[in-house]
Amino acid sequence: GNSVTQMEGPVTLSEEAFLTINCTYTATGYPSLFWYVQYPGEGLQLLLKATKADDKGSNKGFEATYRKETTSFHLEKGSVQVSDSAVYFCALRGSTLGRLYFGRGTQLTVWP
Amino acid sequence: DVKVTQSSRYLVKRTGEKVFLECVQDMDHENMFWYRQDPGLGLRLIYFSYDVKMKEKGDIPEGYSVSREKKERFSLILESASTNQTSMYLCASSQGQGWGKLFFGSGTQLSVL
């Protein structure tokens, strides 16, 4: 079946630190992979996506590369800001049209 | 700007009450979803719908039902609310057979006392 495993949080960093949030997946076929972000008091919003192996998604300084050989889609940012404090969700879309499977989420807190 | 609107931000109900959570999208999307979000468990899919009057069970449909009479509106119904249904409920929509970009509402925090 389809599932997503994320590193457990919370993650606490100082401003300008390097961020990695690990995500691995199990899926049948060739899934598309996503990172969503949820800022306090808001719903989730799409951060970036990758639809095939070796694709790199990027947005707002965040990057993630679709690695089929390691079934991973780790989120990285070179220099985090206080405004990046949020919950980050890794997700995959399998064969069921439109349906996403989410990881448990990782809380990120960035201190000035 | 695209919008998914959930009728209430906070809701407090009593055990045994029938509860309606409403969701409206203004993007003419075919697909609509109800998730619940609990700390440490992430998002779990309750029900989804690919078209008017159509519905599919997600991973945790027990204790819930849904209604989609119009394309833009998707309602989640708790037939007899219980304390273990206290949670954040998120509605989302997406376009057709798209690549999976969901648009989410801001959520309804439901407390069942």
Side-chain angles (χ1 to χ4, degrees), chain A residues 34 36 38 41-44 46 49 89 93 96-100 102-104, chain B residues 9 33 35 37 40 42-43 45 50 59 90 97-102 104-106:
Chain A
F34 307 86
Y36 278 77
Q38 184 180 33
E42 299 182 12
L44 281 70
L46 180 66
K49 68 175 174 72
F89 292 90
R93 174 181 171 244
T96 304
L97 295 173
R99 162 135 193 207
L100 293 188
F102 286 88
R104 296 188 175 190
Chain B
R9 184 72 180 96
F33 306 82
Y35 287 88
Q37 181 179 11
L43 274 71
L45 183 64
Y50 287 142
D59 299 321
L90 293 172
Q97 298 182 12
W99 41 259
K101 180 173 182 178
L102 297 186
F104 281 85
S106 298

PDB file of all heavy atoms in Angstrom, chain A residues 34 36 38 41-44 46 49 89 93 96-100 102-104, chain B residues 9 33 35 37 40 42-43 45 50 59 90 97-102 104-106:
ATOM      1  N   PHE A  34       5.021  15.329  -2.693  1.00  0.00           N
ATOM      2  CA  PHE A  34       4.710  16.716  -2.355  1.00  0.00           C
ATOM      3  C   PHE A  34       5.211  17.054  -0.954  1.00  0.00           C
ATOM      4  O   PHE A  34       5.305  16.190  -0.096  1.00  0.00           O
ATOM      5  CB  PHE A  34       3.180  16.945  -2.366  1.00  0.00           C
ATOM      6  CG  PHE A  34       2.507  16.508  -3.627  1.00  0.00           C
ATOM      7  CD1 PHE A  34       2.098  15.202  -3.802  1.00  0.00           C
ATOM      8  CD2 PHE A  34       2.279  17.415  -4.650  1.00  0.00           C
ATOM      9  CE1 PHE A  34       1.477  14.781  -4.974  1.00  0.00           C
ATOM     10  CE2 PHE A  34       1.657  17.009  -5.819  1.00  0.00           C
ATOM     11  CZ  PHE A  34       1.257  15.701  -5.980  1.00  0.00           C
ATOM     12  N   TYR A  36       3.769  19.882   1.803  1.00  0.00           N
ATOM     13  CA  TYR A  36       2.813  20.906   2.165  1.00  0.00           C
ATOM     14  C   TYR A  36       3.274  21.563   3.459  1.00  0.00           C
ATOM     15  O   TYR A  36       3.936  20.933   4.298  1.00  0.00           O
ATOM     16  CB  TYR A  36       1.418  20.304   2.379  1.00  0.00           C
ATOM     17  CG  TYR A  36       0.639  20.072   1.111  1.00  0.00           C
ATOM     18  CD1 TYR A  36       0.929  18.985   0.290  1.00  0.00           C
ATOM     19  CD2 TYR A  36      -0.368  20.943   0.714  1.00  0.00           C
ATOM     20  CE1 TYR A  36       0.219  18.773  -0.888  1.00  0.00           C
ATOM     21  CE2 TYR A  36      -1.091  20.735  -0.456  1.00  0.00           C
ATOM     22  CZ  TYR A  36      -0.782  19.645  -1.240  1.00  0.00           C
ATOM     23  OH  TYR A  36      -1.486  19.446  -2.406  1.00  0.00           O
ATOM     24  N   GLN A  38       1.932  24.102   6.800  1.00  0.00           N
ATOM     25  CA  GLN A  38       0.783  24.655   7.535  1.00  0.00           C
ATOM     26  C   GLN A  38       1.296  25.683   8.521  1.00  0.00           C
ATOM     27  O   GLN A  38       1.945  25.344   9.518  1.00  0.00           O
ATOM     28  CB  GLN A  38       0.033  23.541   8.270  1.00  0.00           C
ATOM     29  CG  GLN A  38      -1.224  24.003   8.975  1.00  0.00           C
ATOM     30  CD  GLN A  38      -1.939  22.868   9.689  1.00  0.00           C
ATOM     31  OE1 GLN A  38      -1.306  21.949  10.174  1.00  0.00           O
ATOM     32  NE2 GLN A  38      -3.260  22.945   9.753  1.00  0.00           N
ATOM     33  N   GLY A  41      -2.645  28.493  12.567  1.00  0.00           N
ATOM     34  CA  GLY A  41      -4.007  28.974  12.359  1.00  0.00           C
ATOM     35  C   GLY A  41      -4.517  28.878  10.938  1.00  0.00           C
ATOM     36  O   GLY A  41      -5.606  29.391  10.636  1.00  0.00           O
ATOM     37  N   GLU A  42      -3.764  28.242  10.072  1.00  0.00           N
ATOM     38  CA  GLU A  42      -4.168  28.168   8.667  1.00  0.00           C
ATOM     39  C   GLU A  42      -4.291  26.723   8.204  1.00  0.00           C
ATOM     40  O   GLU A  42      -3.846  25.788   8.870  1.00  0.00           O
ATOM     41  CB  GLU A  42      -3.145  28.892   7.784  1.00  0.00           C
ATOM     42  CG  GLU A  42      -2.999  30.357   8.093  1.00  0.00           C
ATOM     43  CD  GLU A  42      -2.016  31.054   7.167  1.00  0.00           C
ATOM     44  OE1 GLU A  42      -1.621  30.450   6.144  1.00  0.00           O
ATOM     45  OE2 GLU A  42      -1.656  32.195   7.468  1.00  0.00           O
ATOM     46  N   GLY A  43      -4.898  26.545   7.024  1.00  0.00           N
ATOM     47  CA  GLY A  43      -4.912  25.235   6.394  1.00  0.00           C
ATOM     48  C   GLY A  43      -3.576  24.958   5.719  1.00  0.00           C
ATOM     49  O   GLY A  43      -2.674  25.793   5.719  1.00  0.00           O
ATOM     50  N   LEU A  44      -3.442  23.769   5.142  1.00  0.00           N
ATOM     51  CA  LEU A  44      -2.205  23.419   4.461  1.00  0.00           C
ATOM     52  C   LEU A  44      -2.132  24.105   3.104  1.00  0.00           C
ATOM     53  O   LEU A  44      -3.156  24.345   2.461  1.00  0.00           O
ATOM     54  CB  LEU A  44      -2.133  21.900   4.234  1.00  0.00           C
ATOM     55  CG  LEU A  44      -1.724  21.029   5.411  1.00  0.00           C
ATOM     56  CD1 LEU A  44      -2.788  20.974   6.471  1.00  0.00           C
ATOM     57  CD2 LEU A  44      -1.367  19.629   4.917  1.00  0.00           C
ATOM     58  N   LEU A  46       0.383  24.007  -0.615  1.00  0.00           N
ATOM     59  CA  LEU A  46       1.430  23.303  -1.335  1.00  0.00           C
ATOM     60  C   LEU A  46       2.719  24.110  -1.302  1.00  0.00           C
ATOM     61  O   LEU A  46       2.729  25.304  -1.632  1.00  0.00           O
ATOM     62  CB  LEU A  46       1.002  23.056  -2.776  1.00  0.00           C
ATOM     63  CG  LEU A  46       2.009  22.330  -3.652  1.00  0.00           C
ATOM     64  CD1 LEU A  46       2.217  20.900  -3.173  1.00  0.00           C
ATOM     65  CD2 LEU A  46       1.553  22.341  -5.107  1.00  0.00           C
ATOM     66  N   LYS A  49       6.604  20.258  -5.327  1.00  0.00           N
ATOM     67  CA  LYS A  49       6.212  18.930  -5.800  1.00  0.00           C
ATOM     68  C   LYS A  49       7.257  18.364  -6.761  1.00  0.00           C
ATOM     69  O   LYS A  49       8.082  19.104  -7.306  1.00  0.00           O
ATOM     70  CB  LYS A  49       4.873  19.000  -6.522  1.00  0.00           C
ATOM     71  CG  LYS A  49       4.914  19.770  -7.848  1.00  0.00           C
ATOM     72  CD  LYS A  49       3.590  19.703  -8.570  1.00  0.00           C
ATOM     73  CE  LYS A  49       3.594  20.580  -9.812  1.00  0.00           C
ATOM     74  NZ  LYS A  49       4.419  20.000 -10.880  1.00  0.00           N
ATOM     75  N   PHE A  89       4.425  18.835   6.018  1.00  0.00           N
ATOM     76  CA  PHE A  89       3.882  17.513   5.732  1.00  0.00           C
ATOM     77  C   PHE A  89       4.410  17.002   4.398  1.00  0.00           C
ATOM     78  O   PHE A  89       4.296  17.692   3.376  1.00  0.00           O
ATOM     79  CB  PHE A  89       2.355  17.556   5.637  1.00  0.00           C
ATOM     80  CG  PHE A  89       1.657  17.846   6.928  1.00  0.00           C
ATOM     81  CD1 PHE A  89       1.372  19.148   7.296  1.00  0.00           C
ATOM     82  CD2 PHE A  89       1.272  16.813   7.764  1.00  0.00           C
ATOM     83  CE1 PHE A  89       0.721  19.422   8.487  1.00  0.00           C
ATOM     84  CE2 PHE A  89       0.620  17.074   8.960  1.00  0.00           C
ATOM     85  CZ  PHE A  89       0.349  18.385   9.315  1.00  0.00           C
ATOM     86  N   ARG A  93       0.937  11.012  -3.925  1.00  0.00           N
ATOM     87  CA  ARG A  93      -0.257  10.703  -4.683  1.00  0.00           C
ATOM     88  C   ARG A  93       0.001   9.393  -5.403  1.00  0.00           C
ATOM     89  O   ARG A  93       0.922   9.299  -6.194  1.00  0.00           O
ATOM     90  CB  ARG A  93      -0.580  11.795  -5.692  1.00  0.00           C
ATOM     91  CG  ARG A  93      -1.739  11.431  -6.609  1.00  0.00           C
ATOM     92  CD  ARG A  93      -2.014  12.519  -7.619  1.00  0.00           C
ATOM     93  NE  ARG A  93      -2.971  12.056  -8.608  1.00  0.00           N
ATOM     94  CZ  ARG A  93      -2.703  11.904  -9.898  1.00  0.00           C
ATOM     95  NH1 ARG A  93      -1.518  12.181 -10.361  1.00  0.00           N
ATOM     96  NH2 ARG A  93      -3.638  11.482 -10.729  1.00  0.00           N
ATOM     97  N   THR A  96      -4.800   6.196  -6.965  1.00  0.00           N
ATOM     98  CA  THR A  96      -6.176   6.671  -6.825  1.00  0.00           C
ATOM     99  C   THR A  96      -6.207   8.144  -7.147  1.00  0.00           C
ATOM    100  O   THR A  96      -5.587   8.951  -6.463  1.00  0.00           O
ATOM    101  CB  THR A  96      -6.705   6.447  -5.399  1.00  0.00           C
ATOM    102  OG1 THR A  96      -6.582   5.070  -5.078  1.00  0.00           O
ATOM    103  CG2 THR A  96      -8.150   6.882  -5.292  1.00  0.00           C
ATOM    104  N   LEU A  97      -6.932   8.508  -8.185  1.00  0.00           N
ATOM    105  CA  LEU A  97      -6.891   9.868  -8.698  1.00  0.00           C
ATOM    106  C   LEU A  97      -7.238  10.891  -7.625  1.00  0.00           C
ATOM    107  O   LEU A  97      -8.266  10.785  -6.970  1.00  0.00           O
ATOM    108  CB  LEU A  97      -7.861   9.993  -9.864  1.00  0.00           C
ATOM    109  CG  LEU A  97      -7.484   9.160 -11.079  1.00  0.00           C
ATOM    110  CD1 LEU A  97      -8.584   9.218 -12.121  1.00  0.00           C
ATOM    111  CD2 LEU A  97      -6.175   9.644 -11.673  1.00  0.00           C
ATOM    112  N   GLY A  98      -6.386  11.868  -7.480  1.00  0.00           N
ATOM    113  CA  GLY A  98      -6.643  12.984  -6.589  1.00  0.00           C
ATOM    114  C   GLY A  98      -6.350  12.719  -5.142  1.00  0.00           C
ATOM    115  O   GLY A  98      -6.249  13.646  -4.359  1.00  0.00           O
ATOM    116  N   ARG A  99      -6.223  11.486  -4.731  1.00  0.00           N
ATOM    117  CA  ARG A  99      -6.080  11.176  -3.315  1.00  0.00           C
ATOM    118  C   ARG A  99      -4.631  11.322  -2.900  1.00  0.00           C
ATOM    119  O   ARG A  99      -3.732  10.802  -3.547  1.00  0.00           O
ATOM    120  CB  ARG A  99      -6.557   9.739  -3.064  1.00  0.00           C
ATOM    121  CG  ARG A  99      -6.049   9.210  -1.770  1.00  0.00           C
ATOM    122  CD  ARG A  99      -7.058   8.508  -0.981  1.00  0.00           C
ATOM    123  NE  ARG A  99      -6.503   8.341   0.359  1.00  0.00           N
ATOM    124  CZ  ARG A  99      -6.831   7.384   1.163  1.00  0.00           C
ATOM    125  NH1 ARG A  99      -7.732   6.497   0.777  1.00  0.00           N
ATOM    126  NH2 ARG A  99      -6.292   7.304   2.347  1.00  0.00           N
ATOM    127  N   LEU A 100      -4.387  11.999  -1.770  1.00  0.00           N
ATOM    128  CA  LEU A 100      -3.037  12.140  -1.216  1.00  0.00           C
ATOM    129  C   LEU A 100      -2.929  11.371   0.098  1.00  0.00           C
ATOM    130  O   LEU A 100      -3.878  11.316   0.862  1.00  0.00           O
ATOM    131  CB  LEU A 100      -2.700  13.603  -0.954  1.00  0.00           C
ATOM    132  CG  LEU A 100      -2.549  14.534  -2.147  1.00  0.00           C
ATOM    133  CD1 LEU A 100      -2.015  15.881  -1.705  1.00  0.00           C
ATOM    134  CD2 LEU A 100      -1.655  13.930  -3.203  1.00  0.00           C
ATOM    135  N   PHE A 102      -0.659  11.428   3.528  1.00  0.00           N
ATOM    136  CA  PHE A 102       0.192  12.359   4.247  1.00  0.00           C
ATOM    137  C   PHE A 102       1.011  11.661   5.324  1.00  0.00           C
ATOM    138  O   PHE A 102       0.549  10.697   5.949  1.00  0.00           O
ATOM    139  CB  PHE A 102      -0.660  13.442   4.922  1.00  0.00           C
ATOM    140  CG  PHE A 102      -1.224  14.454   3.974  1.00  0.00           C
ATOM    141  CD1 PHE A 102      -2.448  14.248   3.355  1.00  0.00           C
ATOM    142  CD2 PHE A 102      -0.532  15.624   3.703  1.00  0.00           C
ATOM    143  CE1 PHE A 102      -2.969  15.180   2.479  1.00  0.00           C
ATOM    144  CE2 PHE A 102      -1.048  16.576   2.829  1.00  0.00           C
ATOM    145  CZ  PHE A 102      -2.265  16.352   2.218  1.00  0.00           C
ATOM    146  N   GLY A 103       2.217  12.206   5.566  1.00  0.00           N
ATOM    147  CA  GLY A 103       2.968  11.841   6.743  1.00  0.00           C
ATOM    148  C   GLY A 103       2.374  12.520   7.964  1.00  0.00           C
ATOM    149  O   GLY A 103       1.391  13.265   7.873  1.00  0.00           O
ATOM    150  N   ARG A 104       2.980  12.295   9.116  1.00  0.00           N
ATOM    151  CA  ARG A 104       2.427  12.794  10.373  1.00  0.00           C
ATOM    152  C   ARG A 104       2.749  14.256  10.633  1.00  0.00           C
ATOM    153  O   ARG A 104       2.221  14.854  11.575  1.00  0.00           O
ATOM    154  CB  ARG A 104       2.929  11.947  11.541  1.00  0.00           C
ATOM    155  CG  ARG A 104       2.440  10.520  11.460  1.00  0.00           C
ATOM    156  CD  ARG A 104       2.780   9.737  12.709  1.00  0.00           C
ATOM    157  NE  ARG A 104       2.188   8.411  12.659  1.00  0.00           N
ATOM    158  CZ  ARG A 104       2.148   7.566  13.674  1.00  0.00           C
ATOM    159  NH1 ARG A 104       2.646   7.915  14.843  1.00  0.00           N
ATOM    160  NH2 ARG A 104       1.609   6.371  13.535  1.00  0.00           N
TER     161      ARG A 104
ATOM    162  N   ARG B   9     -14.879  28.245  12.543  1.00  0.00           N
ATOM    163  CA  ARG B   9     -13.491  28.051  12.942  1.00  0.00           C
ATOM    164  C   ARG B   9     -13.417  27.217  14.219  1.00  0.00           C
ATOM    165  O   ARG B   9     -12.529  26.395  14.372  1.00  0.00           O
ATOM    166  CB  ARG B   9     -12.832  29.412  13.173  1.00  0.00           C
ATOM    167  CG  ARG B   9     -11.349  29.341  13.493  1.00  0.00           C
ATOM    168  CD  ARG B   9     -10.547  28.966  12.264  1.00  0.00           C
ATOM    169  NE  ARG B   9      -9.119  28.908  12.565  1.00  0.00           N
ATOM    170  CZ  ARG B   9      -8.488  27.787  12.864  1.00  0.00           C
ATOM    171  NH1 ARG B   9      -9.147  26.639  12.906  1.00  0.00           N
ATOM    172  NH2 ARG B   9      -7.190  27.804  13.115  1.00  0.00           N
ATOM    173  N   PHE B  33     -12.586  16.771  -0.309  1.00  0.00           N
ATOM    174  CA  PHE B  33     -12.068  15.836   0.689  1.00  0.00           C
ATOM    175  C   PHE B  33     -12.344  16.360   2.097  1.00  0.00           C
ATOM    176  O   PHE B  33     -12.324  17.570   2.331  1.00  0.00           O
ATOM    177  CB  PHE B  33     -10.541  15.689   0.544  1.00  0.00           C
ATOM    178  CG  PHE B  33     -10.073  15.304  -0.829  1.00  0.00           C
ATOM    179  CD1 PHE B  33      -9.930  16.263  -1.832  1.00  0.00           C
ATOM    180  CD2 PHE B  33      -9.773  13.990  -1.131  1.00  0.00           C
ATOM    181  CE1 PHE B  33      -9.502  15.910  -3.101  1.00  0.00           C
ATOM    182  CE2 PHE B  33      -9.334  13.627  -2.395  1.00  0.00           C
ATOM    183  CZ  PHE B  33      -9.203  14.589  -3.379  1.00  0.00           C
ATOM    184  N   TYR B  35     -10.588  15.694   5.832  1.00  0.00           N
ATOM    185  CA  TYR B  35      -9.540  15.087   6.648  1.00  0.00           C
ATOM    186  C   TYR B  35      -9.766  15.490   8.103  1.00  0.00           C
ATOM    187  O   TYR B  35     -10.306  16.560   8.387  1.00  0.00           O
ATOM    188  CB  TYR B  35      -8.156  15.604   6.244  1.00  0.00           C
ATOM    189  CG  TYR B  35      -7.620  15.102   4.934  1.00  0.00           C
ATOM    190  CD1 TYR B  35      -7.898  15.757   3.735  1.00  0.00           C
ATOM    191  CD2 TYR B  35      -6.797  13.977   4.888  1.00  0.00           C
ATOM    192  CE1 TYR B  35      -7.377  15.306   2.534  1.00  0.00           C
ATOM    193  CE2 TYR B  35      -6.264  13.521   3.684  1.00  0.00           C
ATOM    194  CZ  TYR B  35      -6.565  14.197   2.527  1.00  0.00           C
ATOM    195  OH  TYR B  35      -6.043  13.748   1.325  1.00  0.00           O
ATOM    196  N   GLN B  37      -7.277  16.120  11.554  1.00  0.00           N
ATOM    197  CA  GLN B  37      -5.885  16.302  11.917  1.00  0.00           C
ATOM    198  C   GLN B  37      -5.743  16.211  13.422  1.00  0.00           C
ATOM    199  O   GLN B  37      -6.368  16.986  14.149  1.00  0.00           O
ATOM    200  CB  GLN B  37      -5.374  17.674  11.432  1.00  0.00           C
ATOM    201  CG  GLN B  37      -3.926  17.939  11.750  1.00  0.00           C
ATOM    202  CD  GLN B  37      -3.439  19.283  11.254  1.00  0.00           C
ATOM    203  OE1 GLN B  37      -4.227  20.136  10.839  1.00  0.00           O
ATOM    204  NE2 GLN B  37      -2.146  19.485  11.272  1.00  0.00           N
ATOM    205  N   GLY B  40       0.415  14.256  16.293  1.00  0.00           N
ATOM    206  CA  GLY B  40       1.137  12.994  16.233  1.00  0.00           C
ATOM    207  C   GLY B  40       0.586  11.995  15.247  1.00  0.00           C
ATOM    208  O   GLY B  40       1.220  10.973  14.979  1.00  0.00           O
ATOM    209  N   GLY B  42      -1.003  13.217  12.194  1.00  0.00           N
ATOM    210  CA  GLY B  42      -1.056  13.838  10.886  1.00  0.00           C
ATOM    211  C   GLY B  42      -2.479  13.956  10.366  1.00  0.00           C
ATOM    212  O   GLY B  42      -3.429  14.092  11.140  1.00  0.00           O
ATOM    213  N   LEU B  43      -2.630  13.896   9.048  1.00  0.00           N
ATOM    214  CA  LEU B  43      -3.939  14.006   8.412  1.00  0.00           C
ATOM    215  C   LEU B  43      -4.435  12.621   8.023  1.00  0.00           C
ATOM    216  O   LEU B  43      -3.714  11.847   7.390  1.00  0.00           O
ATOM    217  CB  LEU B  43      -3.846  14.857   7.144  1.00  0.00           C
ATOM    218  CG  LEU B  43      -3.977  16.356   7.314  1.00  0.00           C
ATOM    219  CD1 LEU B  43      -2.752  16.937   7.981  1.00  0.00           C
ATOM    220  CD2 LEU B  43      -4.210  17.028   5.965  1.00  0.00           C
ATOM    221  N   LEU B  45      -7.706  10.672   6.111  1.00  0.00           N
ATOM    222  CA  LEU B  45      -8.818  10.919   5.200  1.00  0.00           C
ATOM    223  C   LEU B  45     -10.086  10.240   5.708  1.00  0.00           C
ATOM    224  O   LEU B  45     -10.099   9.035   5.962  1.00  0.00           O
ATOM    225  CB  LEU B  45      -8.458  10.413   3.805  1.00  0.00           C
ATOM    226  CG  LEU B  45      -9.479  10.661   2.707  1.00  0.00           C
ATOM    227  CD1 LEU B  45      -9.668  12.155   2.466  1.00  0.00           C
ATOM    228  CD2 LEU B  45      -9.027   9.973   1.425  1.00  0.00           C
ATOM    229  N   TYR B  50     -15.755  12.596  -5.870  1.00  0.00           N
ATOM    230  CA  TYR B  50     -15.251  12.944  -7.194  1.00  0.00           C
ATOM    231  C   TYR B  50     -16.279  13.700  -8.023  1.00  0.00           C
ATOM    232  O   TYR B  50     -15.974  14.169  -9.118  1.00  0.00           O
ATOM    233  CB  TYR B  50     -14.831  11.697  -7.955  1.00  0.00           C
ATOM    234  CG  TYR B  50     -13.561  11.082  -7.448  1.00  0.00           C
ATOM    235  CD1 TYR B  50     -13.416   9.708  -7.402  1.00  0.00           C
ATOM    236  CD2 TYR B  50     -12.507  11.876  -7.015  1.00  0.00           C
ATOM    237  CE1 TYR B  50     -12.246   9.127  -6.939  1.00  0.00           C
ATOM    238  CE2 TYR B  50     -11.339  11.306  -6.550  1.00  0.00           C
ATOM    239  CZ  TYR B  50     -11.217   9.931  -6.524  1.00  0.00           C
ATOM    240  OH  TYR B  50     -10.057   9.378  -6.061  1.00  0.00           O
ATOM    241  N   ASP B  59      -9.945   6.473   5.020  1.00  0.00           N
ATOM    242  CA  ASP B  59      -9.347   5.529   5.954  1.00  0.00           C
ATOM    243  C   ASP B  59     -10.101   5.394   7.271  1.00  0.00           C
ATOM    244  O   ASP B  59     -10.019   4.358   7.929  1.00  0.00           O
ATOM    245  CB  ASP B  59      -7.903   5.952   6.247  1.00  0.00           C
ATOM    246  CG  ASP B  59      -7.047   5.948   5.002  1.00  0.00           C
ATOM    247  OD1 ASP B  59      -7.213   5.030   4.175  1.00  0.00           O
ATOM    248  OD2 ASP B  59      -6.227   6.870   4.840  1.00  0.00           O
ATOM    249  N   LEU B  90     -10.336  19.359   8.427  1.00  0.00           N
ATOM    250  CA  LEU B  90      -9.873  20.132   7.270  1.00  0.00           C
ATOM    251  C   LEU B  90     -10.588  19.659   6.017  1.00  0.00           C
ATOM    252  O   LEU B  90     -10.625  18.468   5.727  1.00  0.00           O
ATOM    253  CB  LEU B  90      -8.367  19.968   7.083  1.00  0.00           C
ATOM    254  CG  LEU B  90      -7.474  20.564   8.167  1.00  0.00           C
ATOM    255  CD1 LEU B  90      -6.035  20.145   7.934  1.00  0.00           C
ATOM    256  CD2 LEU B  90      -7.578  22.074   8.182  1.00  0.00           C
ATOM    257  N   GLN B  97      -8.623  15.209 -12.709  1.00  0.00           N
ATOM    258  CA  GLN B  97      -7.621  14.156 -12.561  1.00  0.00           C
ATOM    259  C   GLN B  97      -6.239  14.766 -12.459  1.00  0.00           C
ATOM    260  O   GLN B  97      -5.286  14.280 -13.042  1.00  0.00           O
ATOM    261  CB  GLN B  97      -7.713  13.193 -13.747  1.00  0.00           C
ATOM    262  CG  GLN B  97      -9.053  12.494 -13.835  1.00  0.00           C
ATOM    263  CD  GLN B  97      -9.114  11.518 -14.988  1.00  0.00           C
ATOM    264  OE1 GLN B  97      -8.105  11.194 -15.588  1.00  0.00           O
ATOM    265  NE2 GLN B  97     -10.300  11.040 -15.311  1.00  0.00           N
ATOM    266  N   GLY B  98      -6.143  15.831 -11.692  1.00  0.00           N
ATOM    267  CA  GLY B  98      -4.903  16.575 -11.613  1.00  0.00           C
ATOM    268  C   GLY B  98      -3.804  15.872 -10.860  1.00  0.00           C
ATOM    269  O   GLY B  98      -3.990  14.784 -10.329  1.00  0.00           O
ATOM    270  N   TRP B  99      -2.654  16.528 -10.758  1.00  0.00           N
ATOM    271  CA  TRP B  99      -1.486  15.888 -10.182  1.00  0.00           C
ATOM    272  C   TRP B  99      -1.436  15.976  -8.677  1.00  0.00           C
ATOM    273  O   TRP B  99      -0.442  15.691  -8.065  1.00  0.00           O
ATOM    274  CB  TRP B  99      -0.214  16.472 -10.783  1.00  0.00           C
ATOM    275  CG  TRP B  99      -0.239  17.945 -10.958  1.00  0.00           C
ATOM    276  CD1 TRP B  99      -0.472  18.608 -12.121  1.00  0.00           C
ATOM    277  CD2 TRP B  99      -0.061  18.947  -9.967  1.00  0.00           C
ATOM    278  NE1 TRP B  99      -0.427  19.967 -11.909  1.00  0.00           N
ATOM    279  CE2 TRP B  99      -0.176  20.209 -10.605  1.00  0.00           C
ATOM    280  CE3 TRP B  99       0.200  18.918  -8.584  1.00  0.00           C
ATOM    281  CZ2 TRP B  99      -0.055  21.399  -9.916  1.00  0.00           C
ATOM    282  CZ3 TRP B  99       0.335  20.103  -7.898  1.00  0.00           C
ATOM    283  CH2 TRP B  99       0.201  21.334  -8.570  1.00  0.00           C
ATOM    284  N   GLY B 100      -2.530  16.441  -8.080  1.00  0.00           N
ATOM    285  CA  GLY B 100      -2.615  16.295  -6.643  1.00  0.00           C
ATOM    286  C   GLY B 100      -2.537  17.567  -5.836  1.00  0.00           C
ATOM    287  O   GLY B 100      -2.432  17.495  -4.636  1.00  0.00           O
ATOM    288  N   LYS B 101      -2.571  18.742  -6.471  1.00  0.00           N
ATOM    289  CA  LYS B 101      -2.539  19.959  -5.676  1.00  0.00           C
ATOM    290  C   LYS B 101      -3.885  20.134  -5.010  1.00  0.00           C
ATOM    291  O   LYS B 101      -4.907  20.315  -5.665  1.00  0.00           O
ATOM    292  CB  LYS B 101      -2.229  21.180  -6.531  1.00  0.00           C
ATOM    293  CG  LYS B 101      -2.188  22.464  -5.704  1.00  0.00           C
ATOM    294  CD  LYS B 101      -1.717  23.648  -6.511  1.00  0.00           C
ATOM    295  CE  LYS B 101      -1.656  24.883  -5.627  1.00  0.00           C
ATOM    296  NZ  LYS B 101      -1.153  26.065  -6.364  1.00  0.00           N
ATOM    297  N   LEU B 102      -3.879  20.048  -3.707  1.00  0.00           N
ATOM    298  CA  LEU B 102      -5.073  20.282  -2.913  1.00  0.00           C
ATOM    299  C   LEU B 102      -5.086  21.713  -2.405  1.00  0.00           C
ATOM    300  O   LEU B 102      -4.052  22.263  -2.031  1.00  0.00           O
ATOM    301  CB  LEU B 102      -5.132  19.343  -1.713  1.00  0.00           C
ATOM    302  CG  LEU B 102      -5.221  17.845  -1.967  1.00  0.00           C
ATOM    303  CD1 LEU B 102      -5.429  17.105  -0.654  1.00  0.00           C
ATOM    304  CD2 LEU B 102      -6.336  17.520  -2.925  1.00  0.00           C
ATOM    305  N   PHE B 104      -6.733  23.844   0.624  1.00  0.00           N
ATOM    306  CA  PHE B 104      -7.323  23.554   1.926  1.00  0.00           C
ATOM    307  C   PHE B 104      -8.058  24.763   2.495  1.00  0.00           C
ATOM    308  O   PHE B 104      -7.655  25.924   2.281  1.00  0.00           O
ATOM    309  CB  PHE B 104      -6.240  23.160   2.928  1.00  0.00           C
ATOM    310  CG  PHE B 104      -5.778  21.738   2.797  1.00  0.00           C
ATOM    311  CD1 PHE B 104      -4.786  21.400   1.885  1.00  0.00           C
ATOM    312  CD2 PHE B 104      -6.324  20.742   3.593  1.00  0.00           C
ATOM    313  CE1 PHE B 104      -4.359  20.086   1.760  1.00  0.00           C
ATOM    314  CE2 PHE B 104      -5.898  19.431   3.473  1.00  0.00           C
ATOM    315  CZ  PHE B 104      -4.918  19.102   2.554  1.00  0.00           C
ATOM    316  N   GLY B 105      -9.105  24.475   3.259  1.00  0.00           N
ATOM    317  CA  GLY B 105      -9.701  25.486   4.106  1.00  0.00           C
ATOM    318  C   GLY B 105      -8.867  25.667   5.369  1.00  0.00           C
ATOM    319  O   GLY B 105      -7.885  24.948   5.595  1.00  0.00           O
ATOM    320  N   SER B 106      -9.281  26.611   6.195  1.00  0.00           N
ATOM    321  CA  SER B 106      -8.519  26.925   7.416  1.00  0.00           C
ATOM    322  C   SER B 106      -8.803  25.975   8.566  1.00  0.00           C
ATOM    323  O   SER B 106      -8.114  26.022   9.585  1.00  0.00           O
ATOM    324  CB  SER B 106      -8.823  28.353   7.872  1.00  0.00           C
ATOM    325  OG  SER B 106      -8.423  29.264   6.877  1.00  0.00           O
TER     326      SER B 106
END
